[in-house]
Amino acid sequence: MKQEITSRQFAIMVAMSIFTFKLTYLPSLLFNFADKDGFWAFLILILADLISFFLIMPVFIKHKDESFSQFLEKRIGTFAAKIIYLLLFIFFLIKLIYLSNVGYFFAREAIFQDAEYLLFLSILFITINALFLFKINAYARTSEFFYLILIFLFIACIILGIFTIPNNGFFPLFERGAGDIFQASWKTAFCTGDYLFILPFMGKVQIDKKFKKRLALYMSISIFLLLAFMLTFFIGFRYTGFLHQSAITDVVEFVPLSSVIENLDLLPITLMLALYVIHGGLFLFCMVNSLNDTIKFKHKRIDSRWFLLASNIIAIPLILFEFHSYDTIIYVSENYFNWVTVACAYIIPLICFAISFKKVKEKQNKNTWAVKLIDENLKWVSQTKQLNDSVPLSKKIKLGGQKTWKKLLNSYLNAQF
């Protein structure tokens, strides 16, 4: 396969994938179930995501020259593989629906309260469709270009929060029971599964000697910053965390310099809107890829733009007419989407890890040869296209081996003379 993504670009995509759903509404949702002990529920979510990651990566590295569809269909058959593709399509569709919904409510609260839902969706979907049409290598370069900018914005928000937010302390610990902590993790499980996008990208990444080191470095930076952010939130809003749904913007609201340098909300707003666009494009890539694998034909290639159109036709009406309310999306996510997330984000990686040990016999394809029969000066060409381009043929015969053609050639010459 054509490996269009460098190891650094892939490491950046993995590192950025854990930010989008964890910087705005997740902290307040965790607080609803476990107060400030929601921080421990967050650690459980991070641990679950890392388990999923460590199941996927050995498969990803070991089968670096295979696409995800080739990997599955060789080991479990086409029908079972298509079921997994369909589940992945539903998973990334849910992610895109949730991102579109919470992205709009974040933008409306942080920027313009009278903003229209249709306007936000139009801008979002035009942008992420353009990212898809520019192909995956352009998307990877875009993520690489914005990475340092977004990390700088995130660090700035954390530092401003640490030095200006009220210090209400984090002790005593475990004021809420283990049941509340695990319930908070379960109810917010739909915010995990960040690393599942790795599977559709199998075979498209250049895995070099620095691959593992880069991956570990960028992931460590992201997890460290997330932990610092969550601690800042739960310490600063120990008693009022449920009120701060736009967590990333609320951690800078106490900065006294805001009157001097205008509105510091531009930092978290720029960060989040960029993340919504980047990850909306990522989810759309995965949806199109999964839909393509689900309904593809063995001997017929279909333009991926048709699958892009189908993905938009499925996603946009659902977002506009079924999941246009924040209360609706949160209720459905906490009670239904979490089941889909667990099935896809943890069971599918486990299946892939298990079947990766299955040995598959590779089919040995016979070489085909083209022979030009004109005179005693016979010319061998290993590819028919090269033969057609180079010399005119009086007669061309395709045979399955080097030995067989001699017998046929002798019989032909005997018939001529």
Side-chain angles (χ1 to χ4, degrees), residues 64-77:
K64 61 182 179 180
D65 296 321
E66 288 183 313
S67 68
F68 185 51
S69 59
Q70 291 172 338
F71 167 78
L72 281 183
E73 292 172 14
K74 286 179 182 178
R75 290 161 178 82
I76 61 175

Side-chain angles (χ1 to χ4, degrees), residues 13-73:
M13 291 167 61
V14 172
M16 290 175 61
S17 67
I18 64 175
F19 285 148
T20 304
F21 294 126
K22 297 180 176 68
L23 303 185
T24 52
Y25 295 90
L26 176 62
S28 66
L29 292 175
L30 292 171
F31 191 93
N32 285 337
F33 294 101
D35 294 340
K36 70 179 180 63
D37 286 321
F39 177 78
W40 308 116
F42 173 74
L43 291 181
I44 294 173
L45 296 179
I46 290 292
L47 179 61
D49 257 351
L50 288 175
I51 291 173
S52 174
F53 172 80
F54 286 116
L55 288 174
I56 292 173
M57 282 314 298
V59 179
F60 186 86
I61 296 173
K62 183 180 179 181
H63 303 276
K64 61 182 179 180
D65 296 321
E66 288 183 313
S67 68
F68 185 51
S69 59
Q70 291 172 338
F71 167 78
L72 281 183
E73 292 172 14

Side-chain angles (χ1 to χ4, degrees), residues 114-284:
D114 295 328
E116 295 184 3
Y117 197 21
L118 186 59
L119 176 62
F120 175 83
L121 287 182
S122 300
I123 296 172
L124 176 65
F125 272 82
I126 288 173
T127 308
I128 64 177
N129 276 271
L131 286 174
F132 178 88
L133 293 174
F134 280 112
K135 306 300 181 183
I136 190 60
N137 54 346
Y139 172 83
R141 288 197 297 269
T142 303
S143 301
E144 185 179 23
F145 176 79
F146 283 104
Y147 174 73
L148 289 178
I149 299 173
L150 298 182
I151 288 295
F152 170 78
L153 293 175
F154 191 23
I155 293 174
C157 291
I158 295 173
I159 292 175
L160 290 173
I162 290 174
F163 288 105
T164 61
I165 206 167
N167 186 359
N168 294 318
F170 195 60
F171 296 98
L173 303 177
F174 300 108
E175 292 182 315
R176 301 292 292 267
D180 292 332
I181 294 174
F182 283 107
Q183 185 186 22
S185 300
W186 170 250
K187 289 292 187 178
T188 56
F190 59 89
C191 290
T192 62
D194 304 306
Y195 302 121
L196 198 60
F197 84 91
I198 294 174
L199 291 176
F201 281 76
M202 279 183 63
K204 298 177 181 176
V205 180
Q206 301 170 10
I207 300 179
D208 52 27
K209 294 180 180 179
K210 297 182 179 179
F211 178 79
K212 293 182 180 179
K213 291 182 179 179
R214 284 173 174 164
L215 202 57
L217 174 63
Y218 286 105
M219 285 183 61
S220 299
I221 293 172
S222 294
I223 292 174
F224 173 79
L225 292 178
L226 264 180
L227 292 175
F229 170 74
M230 284 292 178
L231 277 173
T232 303
F233 178 88
F234 283 105
I235 290 174
F237 305 122
R238 176 174 179 172
Y239 306 105
T240 60
F242 63 94
L243 295 174
H244 300 277
Q245 294 181 332
S246 299
I248 189 67
T249 57
D250 290 347
V251 295
V252 299
E253 68 179 357
F254 296 100
V255 178
L257 296 176
S258 59
S259 59
V260 179
I261 56 176
E262 295 184 355
N263 196 347
L264 287 176
D265 284 350
L266 286 175
L267 297 178
I269 290 172
T270 304
L271 169 65
M272 290 312 304
L273 292 182
L275 286 175
Y276 286 142
V277 170
I278 290 173
H279 289 108
L282 180 64
F283 298 148
L284 190 62

Side-chain angles (χ1 to χ4, degrees), residues 295-309:
I295 62 178
K296 67 181 178 182
F297 298 95
K298 187 175 182 180
H299 301 292
K300 185 177 181 182
R301 181 179 176 84
I302 303 176
D303 194 321
S304 61
R305 287 174 291 187
W306 289 108
F307 297 108
L308 175 65
L309 179 62

